[in-house]
Amino acid sequence: MTASNKIDEVVDKLEDVVEGKLEDPAASGDPVMNAGLGALQAVMSGKNPVWAALKGAWSGASTKTKVIVVLCLVLILLLAPVVLVVLLLGLLVAAIAAAIRSATR
């Protein structure tokens, strides 16, 4: 499904909400629909729509998706120090190599 098709679907659902055809749109459990509704409500109340959209998408996500996202975040937090150490060691080696090259010329 393309992004434009998904946007059209969300717009159609929002139009149904406005017209009163759909009583409880958040009950559908669709993360995209919940994100759109959260952002729309935040804009109308003068709050940050990005944060509201993230909360809406999170509330509509399945348990499996939530577990995968949390595990990825934990993995990133655990591996970030390793990446930083490797980056610093690479910079140290590059600095030593540059110092040796300039000293031998």
Side-chain angles (χ1 to χ4, degrees):
M1 177 174 269
T2 64
S4 63
N5 290 345
K6 194 64 174 175
I7 290 171
D8 290 340
E9 180 183 324
V10 170
V11 168
D12 290 340
K13 286 182 182 180
L14 289 175
E15 287 173 353
D16 290 344
V17 170
V18 171
E19 293 172 0
K21 294 179 186 174
L22 192 59
E23 291 299 320
D24 189 12
S28 67
D30 183 22
V32 176
M33 182 66 179
N34 286 348
L37 286 173
L40 182 64
Q41 289 172 347
V43 166
M44 294 177 85
S45 64
K47 295 180 181 175
N48 186 355
V50 174
W51 187 245
L54 287 173
K55 283 196 219 176
W58 183 258
S59 69
S62 68
T63 305
K64 182 179 177 182
T65 303
K66 289 179 182 179
V67 167
I68 290 171
V69 168
V70 168
L71 288 176
C72 287
L73 288 174
V74 167
L75 184 65
I76 288 170
L77 288 174
L78 289 175
L79 292 180
V82 174
V83 172
L84 181 63
V85 167
V86 169
L87 178 66
L88 290 174
L89 285 175
L91 290 173
L92 182 64
V93 168
I96 291 171
I100 291 172
R101 281 186 188 168
S102 66
T104 59
R105 287 188 179 176

